[in-house]
Amino acid sequence: MTPIRLVTTGVCVTEAAAALDAHPEEWDTHTLRTTAYGTPHGGISDIWLRYNDWANFDGDGAKFNGPHESVWYPVADKLPALKALAEKVYAIAGGKVLGGVLITRIPPGGIVKPHVDSGWHAQNYEKFAVQIKGNGRQAFCFNDAKLRTYPGDVFTFDNSQEHWVTNESAGERITMICCLR
Ligand SMILES: [Fe+2]
């Protein structure tokens, strides 16, 4: 089975993109994922829209990433267009439980290096993503598959197989990843 698949196209992401443009200060409030030693996500920016309540973080990253129920983070109320987009993806995917929602940005020329996502959350949820900004010189890659996505495209992928994401364009790549089961 292919590890990555386009689900649908044409989802309106205009308001979500405008909200992100208007609030550059919301990136990288939580850097647990992007600054960990040896992370494949170095040089990447994140917004955590929904995940384990930050109040549960006591300095132990492994424990924090263990079994939990996700909650909306304050930014979801500040930027309702993002929350609405996540709920749209949830409806398209037909999920029962919505877990974490992460927005990730790869700068021009940037890359998410080859990796497999491990841990409780990665292993217990399916991944659906919506492209907020993107172009044909970017790709989500597996060893035997590659998908190029454009704004409004929704796709699903298997992050238990090695994957990486390239951005060989002059534009940024912004993706919202919704975890459901
Ligand atoms: Fe990944």
Side-chain angles (χ1 to χ4, degrees), residues 8-54:
T8 192
T9 61
V11 171
C12 180
V13 295
T14 313
E15 284 180 39
L20 290 172
D21 285 342
H23 292 277
E25 76 281 3
E26 295 298 340
W27 293 98
D28 297 325
T29 304
H30 304 93
T31 55
L32 199 59
R33 196 179 87 103
T34 48
T35 59
Y37 178 76
T39 178
H41 302 101
I44 308 307
S45 299
D46 280 344
I47 295 174
W48 294 11
L49 204 61
R50 188 180 158 88
Y51 195 58
N52 191 1
D53 193 331
W54 189 249

mmCIF file of all heavy atoms in Angstrom, residues 8-54:
data_model
loop_
_atom_site.group_PDB
_atom_site.id
_atom_site.type_symbol
_atom_site.label_atom_id
_atom_site.label_comp_id
_atom_site.label_asym_id
_atom_site.label_seq_id
_atom_site.Cartn_x
_atom_site.Cartn_y
_atom_site.Cartn_z
ATOM 1 N N THR A 8 -8.288 14.708 -0.923
ATOM 2 C CA THR A 8 -9.167 15.617 -1.654
ATOM 3 C C THR A 8 -8.411 16.916 -1.938
ATOM 4 O O THR A 8 -7.312 17.133 -1.417
ATOM 5 C CB THR A 8 -10.467 15.896 -0.854
ATOM 6 O OG1 THR A 8 -11.413 16.559 -1.702
ATOM 7 C CG2 THR A 8 -10.211 16.765 0.364
ATOM 8 N N THR A 9 -8.999 17.744 -2.767
ATOM 9 C CA THR A 9 -8.393 19.033 -3.095
ATOM 10 C C THR A 9 -9.449 20.130 -2.917
ATOM 11 O O THR A 9 -10.635 19.836 -2.742
ATOM 12 C CB THR A 9 -7.907 19.067 -4.557
ATOM 13 O OG1 THR A 9 -9.043 18.873 -5.407
ATOM 14 C CG2 THR A 9 -6.896 17.966 -4.838
ATOM 15 N N GLY A 10 -9.006 21.372 -2.953
ATOM 16 C CA GLY A 10 -9.957 22.481 -2.999
ATOM 17 C C GLY A 10 -10.511 22.942 -1.668
ATOM 18 O O GLY A 10 -11.475 23.715 -1.637
ATOM 19 N N VAL A 11 -9.931 22.493 -0.564
ATOM 20 C CA VAL A 11 -10.363 23.010 0.738
ATOM 21 C C VAL A 11 -9.885 24.460 0.849
ATOM 22 O O VAL A 11 -8.743 24.776 0.516
ATOM 23 C CB VAL A 11 -9.758 22.148 1.878
ATOM 24 C CG1 VAL A 11 -10.001 22.789 3.235
ATOM 25 C CG2 VAL A 11 -10.339 20.741 1.830
ATOM 26 N N CYS A 12 -10.751 25.338 1.303
ATOM 27 C CA CYS A 12 -10.387 26.765 1.382
ATOM 28 C C CYS A 12 -9.413 27.003 2.545
ATOM 29 O O CYS A 12 -9.751 26.745 3.698
ATOM 30 C CB CYS A 12 -11.623 27.636 1.552
ATOM 31 S SG CYS A 12 -11.177 29.387 1.636
ATOM 32 N N VAL A 13 -8.226 27.465 2.219
ATOM 33 C CA VAL A 13 -7.220 27.745 3.255
ATOM 34 C C VAL A 13 -6.855 29.235 3.298
ATOM 35 O O VAL A 13 -5.920 29.629 3.981
ATOM 36 C CB VAL A 13 -5.940 26.894 3.034
ATOM 37 C CG1 VAL A 13 -6.256 25.412 3.207
ATOM 38 C CG2 VAL A 13 -5.328 27.157 1.658
ATOM 39 N N THR A 14 -7.613 30.048 2.572
ATOM 40 C CA THR A 14 -7.296 31.479 2.464
ATOM 41 C C THR A 14 -7.270 32.162 3.830
ATOM 42 O O THR A 14 -6.329 32.898 4.154
ATOM 43 C CB THR A 14 -8.347 32.179 1.569
ATOM 44 O OG1 THR A 14 -8.521 31.388 0.398
ATOM 45 C CG2 THR A 14 -7.892 33.567 1.178
ATOM 46 N N GLU A 15 -8.299 31.913 4.642
ATOM 47 C CA GLU A 15 -8.376 32.584 5.947
ATOM 48 C C GLU A 15 -7.285 32.088 6.887
ATOM 49 O O GLU A 15 -6.715 32.866 7.660
ATOM 50 C CB GLU A 15 -9.750 32.359 6.574
ATOM 51 C CG GLU A 15 -10.819 33.222 5.934
ATOM 52 C CD GLU A 15 -12.192 32.993 6.564
ATOM 53 O OE1 GLU A 15 -12.267 32.826 7.799
ATOM 54 O OE2 GLU A 15 -13.174 32.960 5.820
ATOM 55 N N ALA A 16 -6.999 30.798 6.823
ATOM 56 C CA ALA A 16 -5.943 30.244 7.680
ATOM 57 C C ALA A 16 -4.592 30.845 7.301
ATOM 58 O O ALA A 16 -3.804 31.236 8.178
ATOM 59 C CB ALA A 16 -5.904 28.723 7.551
ATOM 60 N N ALA A 17 -4.326 30.952 6.009
ATOM 61 C CA ALA A 17 -3.050 31.529 5.557
ATOM 62 C C ALA A 17 -2.956 32.993 5.972
ATOM 63 O O ALA A 17 -1.901 33.450 6.439
ATOM 64 C CB ALA A 17 -2.921 31.388 4.040
ATOM 65 N N ALA A 18 -4.061 33.732 5.844
ATOM 66 C CA ALA A 18 -4.063 35.152 6.221
ATOM 67 C C ALA A 18 -3.850 35.311 7.728
ATOM 68 O O ALA A 18 -3.133 36.220 8.172
ATOM 69 C CB ALA A 18 -5.379 35.800 5.790
ATOM 70 N N ALA A 19 -4.455 34.428 8.524
ATOM 71 C CA ALA A 19 -4.290 34.497 9.978
ATOM 72 C C ALA A 19 -2.828 34.260 10.370
ATOM 73 O O ALA A 19 -2.284 34.941 11.241
ATOM 74 C CB ALA A 19 -5.189 33.467 10.657
ATOM 75 N N LEU A 20 -2.188 33.318 9.696
ATOM 76 C CA LEU A 20 -0.771 33.058 9.990
ATOM 77 C C LEU A 20 0.098 34.239 9.579
ATOM 78 O O LEU A 20 1.022 34.620 10.298
ATOM 79 C CB LEU A 20 -0.314 31.783 9.269
ATOM 80 C CG LEU A 20 -0.913 30.490 9.825
ATOM 81 C CD1 LEU A 20 -0.564 29.315 8.918
ATOM 82 C CD2 LEU A 20 -0.402 30.228 11.238
ATOM 83 N N ASP A 21 -0.212 34.827 8.421
ATOM 84 C CA ASP A 21 0.555 36.001 7.964
ATOM 85 C C ASP A 21 0.426 37.156 8.951
ATOM 86 O O ASP A 21 1.363 37.919 9.166
ATOM 87 C CB ASP A 21 0.060 36.451 6.584
ATOM 88 C CG ASP A 21 0.539 35.522 5.473
ATOM 89 O OD1 ASP A 21 1.501 34.760 5.717
ATOM 90 O OD2 ASP A 21 -0.044 35.566 4.378
ATOM 91 N N ALA A 22 -0.775 37.273 9.555
ATOM 92 C CA ALA A 22 -1.043 38.402 10.455
ATOM 93 C C ALA A 22 -0.459 38.181 11.857
ATOM 94 O O ALA A 22 -0.375 39.123 12.645
ATOM 95 C CB ALA A 22 -2.550 38.637 10.552
ATOM 96 N N HIS A 23 -0.079 36.942 12.175
ATOM 97 C CA HIS A 23 0.406 36.639 13.530
ATOM 98 C C HIS A 23 1.717 35.859 13.514
ATOM 99 O O HIS A 23 1.775 34.724 14.000
ATOM 100 C CB HIS A 23 -0.666 35.876 14.313
ATOM 101 C CG HIS A 23 -1.854 36.726 14.621
ATOM 102 N ND1 HIS A 23 -1.898 37.584 15.696
ATOM 103 C CD2 HIS A 23 -3.024 36.901 13.950
ATOM 104 C CE1 HIS A 23 -3.046 38.237 15.703
ATOM 105 N NE2 HIS A 23 -3.750 37.850 14.649
ATOM 106 N N PRO A 24 2.789 36.476 13.008
ATOM 107 C CA PRO A 24 4.078 35.778 12.965
ATOM 108 C C PRO A 24 4.605 35.436 14.359
ATOM 109 O O PRO A 24 5.433 34.528 14.502
ATOM 110 C CB PRO A 24 5.006 36.786 12.256
ATOM 111 C CG PRO A 24 4.342 38.115 12.417
ATOM 112 C CD PRO A 24 2.864 37.840 12.436
ATOM 113 N N GLU A 25 4.094 36.128 15.393
ATOM 114 C CA GLU A 25 4.593 35.885 16.757
ATOM 115 C C GLU A 25 4.138 34.539 17.320
ATOM 116 O O GLU A 25 4.638 34.098 18.352
ATOM 117 C CB GLU A 25 4.140 37.030 17.676
ATOM 118 C CG GLU A 25 2.673 36.999 18.105
ATOM 119 C CD GLU A 25 1.697 37.512 17.039
ATOM 120 O OE1 GLU A 25 2.140 37.847 15.925
ATOM 121 O OE2 GLU A 25 0.478 37.548 17.328
ATOM 122 N N GLU A 26 3.191 33.897 16.659
ATOM 123 C CA GLU A 26 2.663 32.633 17.199
ATOM 124 C C GLU A 26 3.555 31.416 16.898
ATOM 125 O O GLU A 26 3.347 30.345 17.447
ATOM 126 C CB GLU A 26 1.251 32.373 16.666
ATOM 127 C CG GLU A 26 0.216 33.401 17.128
ATOM 128 C CD GLU A 26 0.040 33.426 18.637
ATOM 129 O OE1 GLU A 26 0.388 32.448 19.316
ATOM 130 O OE2 GLU A 26 -0.427 34.469 19.142
ATOM 131 N N TRP A 27 4.547 31.591 16.009
ATOM 132 C CA TRP A 27 5.438 30.464 15.698
ATOM 133 C C TRP A 27 6.403 30.212 16.847
ATOM 134 O O TRP A 27 6.863 31.132 17.508
ATOM 135 C CB TRP A 27 6.237 30.743 14.417
ATOM 136 C CG TRP A 27 5.376 30.794 13.198
ATOM 137 C CD1 TRP A 27 4.884 31.911 12.588
ATOM 138 C CD2 TRP A 27 4.892 29.680 12.434
ATOM 139 N NE1 TRP A 27 4.124 31.554 11.507
ATOM 140 C CE2 TRP A 27 4.115 30.203 11.377
ATOM 141 C CE3 TRP A 27 5.046 28.295 12.548
ATOM 142 C CZ2 TRP A 27 3.488 29.376 10.433
ATOM 143 C CZ3 TRP A 27 4.418 27.481 11.615
ATOM 144 C CH2 TRP A 27 3.655 28.025 10.579
ATOM 145 N N ASP A 28 6.683 28.924 17.064
ATOM 146 C CA ASP A 28 7.765 28.500 17.962
ATOM 147 C C ASP A 28 7.570 28.902 19.416
ATOM 148 O O ASP A 28 8.528 29.218 20.116
ATOM 149 C CB ASP A 28 9.125 29.001 17.435
ATOM 150 C CG ASP A 28 9.438 28.384 16.074
ATOM 151 O OD1 ASP A 28 9.068 27.206 15.855
ATOM 152 O OD2 ASP A 28 10.014 29.081 15.226
ATOM 153 N N THR A 29 6.319 28.888 19.871
ATOM 154 C CA THR A 29 6.056 29.037 21.305
ATOM 155 C C THR A 29 6.556 27.799 22.046
ATOM 156 O O THR A 29 7.083 27.879 23.152
ATOM 157 C CB THR A 29 4.541 29.206 21.554
ATOM 158 O OG1 THR A 29 4.082 30.327 20.790
ATOM 159 C CG2 THR A 29 4.235 29.439 23.021
ATOM 160 N N HIS A 30 6.382 26.626 21.416
ATOM 161 C CA HIS A 30 6.806 25.351 22.009
ATOM 162 C C HIS A 30 7.838 24.715 21.077
ATOM 163 O O HIS A 30 7.529 24.426 19.926
ATOM 164 C CB HIS A 30 5.606 24.409 22.176
ATOM 165 C CG HIS A 30 4.511 25.027 22.997
ATOM 166 N ND1 HIS A 30 3.469 25.712 22.414
ATOM 167 C CD2 HIS A 30 4.327 25.096 24.329
ATOM 168 C CE1 HIS A 30 2.673 26.168 23.379
ATOM 169 N NE2 HIS A 30 3.169 25.810 24.539
ATOM 170 N N THR A 31 9.042 24.517 21.592
ATOM 171 C CA THR A 31 10.137 24.077 20.713
ATOM 172 C C THR A 31 10.672 22.693 21.084
ATOM 173 O O THR A 31 11.741 22.313 20.655
ATOM 174 C CB THR A 31 11.286 25.100 20.752
ATOM 175 O OG1 THR A 31 11.688 25.280 22.112
ATOM 176 C CG2 THR A 31 10.845 26.443 20.181
ATOM 177 N N LEU A 32 9.892 21.957 21.864
ATOM 178 C CA LEU A 32 10.316 20.613 22.285
ATOM 179 C C LEU A 32 10.671 19.749 21.072
ATOM 180 O O LEU A 32 11.619 18.979 21.079
ATOM 181 C CB LEU A 32 9.155 19.972 23.060
ATOM 182 C CG LEU A 32 9.441 18.785 23.970
ATOM 183 C CD1 LEU A 32 10.450 19.154 25.038
ATOM 184 C CD2 LEU A 32 8.141 18.317 24.637
ATOM 185 N N ARG A 33 9.891 19.889 19.998
ATOM 186 C CA ARG A 33 10.049 19.045 18.820
ATOM 187 C C ARG A 33 11.186 19.510 17.916
ATOM 188 O O ARG A 33 11.848 18.702 17.284
ATOM 189 C CB ARG A 33 8.730 19.071 18.025
ATOM 190 C CG ARG A 33 8.572 17.977 16.998
ATOM 191 C CD ARG A 33 7.221 18.115 16.316
ATOM 192 N NE ARG A 33 7.281 19.007 15.181
ATOM 193 C CZ ARG A 33 7.308 18.610 13.918
ATOM 194 N NH1 ARG A 33 7.254 17.326 13.633
ATOM 195 N NH2 ARG A 33 7.358 19.474 12.941
ATOM 196 N N THR A 34 11.381 20.815 17.835
ATOM 197 C CA THR A 34 12.300 21.354 16.821
ATOM 198 C C THR A 34 13.707 21.597 17.350
ATOM 199 O O THR A 34 14.614 21.877 16.573
ATOM 200 C CB THR A 34 11.739 22.673 16.244
ATOM 201 O OG1 THR A 34 11.329 23.517 17.314
ATOM 202 C CG2 THR A 34 10.558 22.396 15.334
ATOM 203 N N THR A 35 13.897 21.520 18.675
ATOM 204 C CA THR A 35 15.236 21.796 19.202
ATOM 205 C C THR A 35 15.858 20.601 19.918
ATOM 206 O O THR A 35 16.971 20.693 20.398
ATOM 207 C CB THR A 35 15.211 22.991 20.197
ATOM 208 O OG1 THR A 35 14.318 22.667 21.260
ATOM 209 C CG2 THR A 35 14.746 24.260 19.505
ATOM 210 N N ALA A 36 15.141 19.466 20.001
ATOM 211 C CA ALA A 36 15.702 18.285 20.663
ATOM 212 C C ALA A 36 16.991 17.863 19.957
ATOM 213 O O ALA A 36 17.125 18.022 18.745
ATOM 214 C CB ALA A 36 14.686 17.148 20.640
ATOM 215 N N TYR A 37 17.917 17.304 20.719
ATOM 216 C CA TYR A 37 19.199 16.904 20.147
ATOM 217 C C TYR A 37 18.987 15.894 19.008
ATOM 218 O O TYR A 37 18.273 14.914 19.160
ATOM 219 C CB TYR A 37 20.085 16.283 21.237
ATOM 220 C CG TYR A 37 21.404 15.815 20.701
ATOM 221 C CD1 TYR A 37 22.408 16.727 20.400
ATOM 222 C CD2 TYR A 37 21.634 14.463 20.460
ATOM 223 C CE1 TYR A 37 23.608 16.309 19.883
ATOM 224 C CE2 TYR A 37 22.836 14.029 19.945
ATOM 225 C CZ TYR A 37 23.833 14.959 19.659
ATOM 226 O OH TYR A 37 25.021 14.534 19.132
ATOM 227 N N GLY A 38 19.600 16.173 17.862
ATOM 228 C CA GLY A 38 19.533 15.230 16.744
ATOM 229 C C GLY A 38 18.190 15.220 16.036
ATOM 230 O O GLY A 38 17.918 14.343 15.221
ATOM 231 N N THR A 39 17.316 16.188 16.316
ATOM 232 C CA THR A 39 15.986 16.185 15.701
ATOM 233 C C THR A 39 16.074 16.343 14.172
ATOM 234 O O THR A 39 16.887 17.130 13.683
ATOM 235 C CB THR A 39 15.099 17.302 16.282
ATOM 236 O OG1 THR A 39 13.833 17.283 15.615
ATOM 237 C CG2 THR A 39 15.708 18.687 16.076
ATOM 238 N N PRO A 40 15.228 15.605 13.440
ATOM 239 C CA PRO A 40 15.167 15.828 11.987
ATOM 240 C C PRO A 40 14.451 17.127 11.655
ATOM 241 O O PRO A 40 14.425 17.554 10.507
ATOM 242 C CB PRO A 40 14.366 14.620 11.483
ATOM 243 C CG PRO A 40 13.536 14.195 12.645
ATOM 244 C CD PRO A 40 14.350 14.523 13.878
ATOM 245 N N HIS A 41 13.859 17.770 12.667
ATOM 246 C CA HIS A 41 13.030 18.963 12.447
ATOM 247 C C HIS A 41 13.760 20.271 12.766
ATOM 248 O O HIS A 41 13.134 21.296 12.979
ATOM 249 C CB HIS A 41 11.737 18.865 13.271
ATOM 250 C CG HIS A 41 10.929 17.650 12.950
ATOM 251 N ND1 HIS A 41 10.935 16.528 13.728
ATOM 252 C CD2 HIS A 41 10.124 17.375 11.903
ATOM 253 C CE1 HIS A 41 10.152 15.607 13.188
ATOM 254 N NE2 HIS A 41 9.641 16.092 12.081
ATOM 255 N N GLY A 42 15.101 20.231 12.830
ATOM 256 C CA GLY A 42 15.868 21.466 13.052
ATOM 257 C C GLY A 42 15.655 22.433 11.891
ATOM 258 O O GLY A 42 15.580 22.017 10.738
ATOM 259 N N GLY A 43 15.550 23.725 12.194
ATOM 260 C CA GLY A 43 15.340 24.715 11.129
ATOM 261 C C GLY A 43 13.896 24.853 10.704
ATOM 262 O O GLY A 43 13.565 25.648 9.832
ATOM 263 N N ILE A 44 13.027 24.060 11.331
ATOM 264 C CA ILE A 44 11.600 24.083 11.012
ATOM 265 C C ILE A 44 10.877 24.854 12.118
ATOM 266 O O ILE A 44 11.256 24.780 13.276
ATOM 267 C CB ILE A 44 11.053 22.634 10.959
ATOM 268 C CG1 ILE A 44 11.896 21.764 10.031
ATOM 269 C CG2 ILE A 44 9.588 22.605 10.576
ATOM 270 C CD1 ILE A 44 12.087 22.297 8.644
ATOM 271 N N SER A 45 9.829 25.585 11.760
ATOM 272 C CA SER A 45 9.022 26.287 12.758
ATOM 273 C C SER A 45 7.693 25.560 12.962
ATOM 274 O O SER A 45 7.166 24.952 12.030
ATOM 275 C CB SER A 45 8.736 27.716 12.293
ATOM 276 O OG SER A 45 9.944 28.422 12.135
ATOM 277 N N ASP A 46 7.173 25.658 14.188
ATOM 278 C CA ASP A 46 5.928 24.966 14.552
ATOM 279 C C ASP A 46 4.939 25.909 15.221
ATOM 280 O O ASP A 46 5.356 26.839 15.919
ATOM 281 C CB ASP A 46 6.211 23.889 15.616
ATOM 282 C CG ASP A 46 6.785 22.616 15.045
ATOM 283 O OD1 ASP A 46 6.697 22.431 13.825
ATOM 284 O OD2 ASP A 46 7.305 21.821 15.850
ATOM 285 N N ILE A 47 3.668 25.592 15.073
ATOM 286 C CA ILE A 47 2.642 26.096 15.997
ATOM 287 C C ILE A 47 1.879 24.867 16.490
ATOM 288 O O ILE A 47 1.379 24.085 15.680
ATOM 289 C CB ILE A 47 1.658 27.069 15.309
ATOM 290 C CG1 ILE A 47 2.379 28.347 14.860
ATOM 291 C CG2 ILE A 47 0.507 27.424 16.259
ATOM 292 C CD1 ILE A 47 1.516 29.289 14.040
ATOM 293 N N TRP A 48 1.838 24.691 17.796
ATOM 294 C CA TRP A 48 1.049 23.602 18.369
ATOM 295 C C TRP A 48 -0.356 24.134 18.608
ATOM 296 O O TRP A 48 -0.583 24.970 19.488
ATOM 297 C CB TRP A 48 1.649 23.127 19.688
ATOM 298 C CG TRP A 48 3.001 22.481 19.562
ATOM 299 C CD1 TRP A 48 3.818 22.464 18.463
ATOM 300 C CD2 TRP A 48 3.694 21.773 20.595
ATOM 301 N NE1 TRP A 48 4.969 21.783 18.747
ATOM 302 C CE2 TRP A 48 4.929 21.345 20.038
ATOM 303 C CE3 TRP A 48 3.395 21.448 21.915
ATOM 304 C CZ2 TRP A 48 5.861 20.622 20.779
ATOM 305 C CZ3 TRP A 48 4.324 20.728 22.642
ATOM 306 C CH2 TRP A 48 5.536 20.309 22.085
ATOM 307 N N LEU A 49 -1.304 23.649 17.842
ATOM 308 C CA LEU A 49 -2.687 24.111 17.971
ATOM 309 C C LEU A 49 -3.425 23.266 19.006
ATOM 310 O O LEU A 49 -4.349 23.736 19.670
ATOM 311 C CB LEU A 49 -3.367 23.991 16.605
ATOM 312 C CG LEU A 49 -4.555 24.873 16.311
ATOM 313 C CD1 LEU A 49 -4.162 26.341 16.368
ATOM 314 C CD2 LEU A 49 -5.136 24.553 14.938
ATOM 315 N N ARG A 50 -2.999 22.023 19.116
ATOM 316 C CA ARG A 50 -3.682 21.076 19.996
ATOM 317 C C ARG A 50 -2.706 19.948 20.318
ATOM 318 O O ARG A 50 -2.066 19.389 19.424
ATOM 319 C CB ARG A 50 -4.902 20.533 19.249
ATOM 320 C CG ARG A 50 -5.838 19.686 20.060
ATOM 321 C CD ARG A 50 -7.009 19.219 19.171
ATOM 322 N NE ARG A 50 -7.585 18.034 19.765
ATOM 323 C CZ ARG A 50 -8.557 18.055 20.678
ATOM 324 N NH1 ARG A 50 -9.108 19.192 21.035
ATOM 325 N NH2 ARG A 50 -8.995 16.942 21.221
ATOM 326 N N TYR A 51 -2.628 19.605 21.599
ATOM 327 C CA TYR A 51 -1.749 18.502 22.016
ATOM 328 C C TYR A 51 -1.978 18.291 23.510
ATOM 329 O O TYR A 51 -2.905 18.861 24.091
ATOM 330 C CB TYR A 51 -0.274 18.852 21.713
ATOM 331 C CG TYR A 51 0.644 17.639 21.766
ATOM 332 C CD1 TYR A 51 0.417 16.525 20.947
ATOM 333 C CD2 TYR A 51 1.721 17.596 22.656
ATOM 334 C CE1 TYR A 51 1.247 15.419 21.012
ATOM 335 C CE2 TYR A 51 2.552 16.486 22.729
ATOM 336 C CZ TYR A 51 2.310 15.406 21.910
ATOM 337 O OH TYR A 51 3.129 14.304 21.982
ATOM 338 N N ASN A 52 -1.098 17.493 24.127
ATOM 339 C CA ASN A 52 -1.149 17.320 25.577
ATOM 340 C C ASN A 52 -1.077 18.699 26.235
ATOM 341 O O ASN A 52 -0.262 19.538 25.848
ATOM 342 C CB ASN A 52 0.036 16.454 26.016
ATOM 343 C CG ASN A 52 -0.070 15.992 27.460
ATOM 344 O OD1 ASN A 52 -1.042 16.300 28.150
ATOM 345 N ND2 ASN A 52 0.915 15.258 27.916
ATOM 346 N N ASP A 53 -1.914 18.930 27.224
ATOM 347 C CA ASP A 53 -1.944 20.221 27.917
ATOM 348 C C ASP A 53 -0.531 20.582 28.406
ATOM 349 O O ASP A 53 0.103 19.777 29.095
ATOM 350 C CB ASP A 53 -2.914 20.110 29.110
ATOM 351 C CG ASP A 53 -3.253 21.477 29.691
ATOM 352 O OD1 ASP A 53 -2.412 22.401 29.593
ATOM 353 O OD2 ASP A 53 -4.364 21.611 30.232
ATOM 354 N N TRP A 54 -0.085 21.775 28.035
ATOM 355 C CA TRP A 54 1.283 22.185 28.411
ATOM 356 C C TRP A 54 1.457 22.212 29.931
ATOM 357 O O TRP A 54 2.564 22.087 30.454
ATOM 358 C CB TRP A 54 1.612 23.542 27.780
ATOM 359 C CG TRP A 54 3.046 23.914 27.948
ATOM 360 C CD1 TRP A 54 3.553 24.917 28.727
ATOM 361 C CD2 TRP A 54 4.194 23.255 27.381
ATOM 362 N NE1 TRP A 54 4.947 24.933 28.658
ATOM 363 C CE2 TRP A 54 5.358 23.912 27.841
ATOM 364 C CE3 TRP A 54 4.345 22.141 26.517
ATOM 365 C CZ2 TRP A 54 6.648 23.522 27.473
ATOM 366 C CZ3 TRP A 54 5.639 21.760 26.158
ATOM 367 C CH2 TRP A 54 6.764 22.440 26.632
#
